[in-house]
Amino acid sequence: MEAWIGLMSGTSMDGIDAVLVSFDHSAVKIHASHTIPYPDQIRHRLIAASQNQAEPDEIGELDTLVGNLFAQAADAVIQRSEFDRAKIRGIGSHGQTIRHQPSGTAPFSIQIGNPCVLSEATNITTVADFRRRDMAAGGQGAPLVPAFHKAFFSSDEENRCILNLGGIANITWLPASDEIPATGFDTGPANALMDAWCLDQTGLPFDSDGHWAMEGSINQELLDDMLSDAYFSKAPPKSTGKERFNLDWVKTLVSRHRDIPAEDIQRTLLELTVKSVVQQLPEISDLRIYVCGGGARNPLLMEAFAKALPGVSLSLTTDLGLDPQLVEPVAFAWLAKQALEGKPGNLPDVTGAAGPRILGAIYPA
């Protein structure tokens, strides 16, 4: 049995998720998983780079440092599994996004984490740089996970929506009918703004279990102001990131309102995640939603979604056989498999690309 490694670090920039996995048609077998948190200094430097506060030398150095950390994550997950390294076919590395600008006259997306370092250190063929081919074909380059969702989570019996709550939230609609195409897009912020505000106000990288937000109340005027952002009403295909939804965005909007307690802002940001997702869900009555990503571990966020979606079945991707925290790294292991087998990895109906494309650059062992 051959296996694949998937490596993922999202817009939350909290660390690297690694998984060793095998695929059998529509089944996924997890051999091992592991997470390496970013050292605080690296995380702060990455956040600065994502906000255009880094010189070329800084970005080049981070590219190598992050590549080494990705290699450590890959080695760690192999050791945890005791899987025969010789049977590992390839590594799919998402890298760390530091800038994603899918619109304008010269769209681009930059992920660092030097895949040459990763391939050299592990002696395993590595596939990376998944987004830019889709963008060259006129697509957004994101989200890419809906292709994996379609391959492994589709059902002939129920209309499903996969809701990924990472730094940015995205949805994938998987209709039961083959006559309706699967679609998906980034809805806006999920954990990114809550994490940024929590770090700025408390010094903590995130609001554990939403406890700080529980102390606050929703400020409706601020929430309405936030929801007026043009991105939320923009028609798909669309994708976004910290380039738009960041701490400066929060502070600019907060400055328009007087004397809002910090915990109320945190609670309002949580509600922003919920409302911005809910208002962009497909309008069908029998939709079943499966949640994945780090936000699935926030009980207050999940409670708020349940309250906002009365009568809608809301559960975790665990019910589909995959841990919510592992969906994205498994997806990039699958994307590496697709690339090495010469198969497309994008969904043009999602990204807006001119057609299916084989994604990723290959770095041989």
Side-chain angles (χ1 to χ4, degrees), residues 89-274:
R89 176 86 183 277
I91 296 172
S93 176
H94 172 271
Q96 178 62 65
T97 299
I98 59 168
R99 206 73 180 165
H100 180 71
Q101 295 284 20
S103 303
T105 57
F108 67 90
S109 189
I110 299 173
Q111 287 74 42
I112 62 172
N114 190 336
C116 295
V117 170
L118 182 53
S119 178
E120 184 70 23
T122 61
N123 196 34
I124 298 172
T125 296
T126 298
V127 186
D129 191 16
F130 289 97
R131 300 193 182 278
R132 293 199 293 174
R133 180 59 191 275
D134 183 88
M135 296 181 79
Q140 294 275 308
L144 295 182
V145 290
F148 171 76
H149 294 161
K150 180 182 179 181
F152 289 89
F153 293 153
S154 292
S155 168
D156 295 333
E157 300 175 354
E158 65 179 13
N159 294 303
R160 292 176 173 175
C161 177
I162 310 300
L163 170 59
N164 177 44
L165 298 173
I168 297 297
N170 57 66
I171 59 173
T172 305
W173 180 36
L174 303 171
S177 171
D178 290 336
E179 297 178 0
I180 305 173
T183 57
F185 53 90
D186 289 346
T187 59
N191 300 310
L193 296 185
M194 290 186 284
D195 290 351
W197 182 250
C198 186
L199 180 63
D200 183 70
Q201 295 295 306
T202 71
L204 299 174
F206 61 93
D207 180 15
S208 181
D209 292 336
H211 288 311
W212 187 41
M214 290 179 190
E215 299 175 10
S217 301
I218 299 167
N219 185 293
Q220 191 61 49
E221 290 184 359
L222 177 60
L223 178 60
D224 291 342
D225 203 359
M226 290 175 169
L227 286 169
S228 70
D229 189 289
Y231 182 82
F232 299 124
S233 57
K234 181 181 179 181
K238 62 179 181 177
S239 58
T240 190
K242 288 185 174 179
E243 302 75 23
R244 184 181 194 116
F245 294 109
N246 52 46
L247 185 61
D248 287 342
W249 185 88
V250 175
K251 289 187 172 181
T252 297
L253 290 171
V254 167
S255 69
R256 300 175 186 173
H257 305 266
R258 296 183 58 186
D259 302 326
I260 304 177
E263 62 271 21
D264 286 4
I265 295 170
Q266 184 72 4
R267 180 65 183 86
T268 303
L269 288 171
L270 185 145
E271 193 68 14
L272 171 68
T273 295
V274 174

Side-chain angles (χ1 to χ4, degrees), residues 319-337:
D319 290 355
L320 300 178
L322 197 50
D323 185 305
Q325 197 64 27
L326 300 182
V327 173
E328 284 198 303
V330 170
F332 280 89
W334 179 78
L335 285 169
K337 180 176 184 290

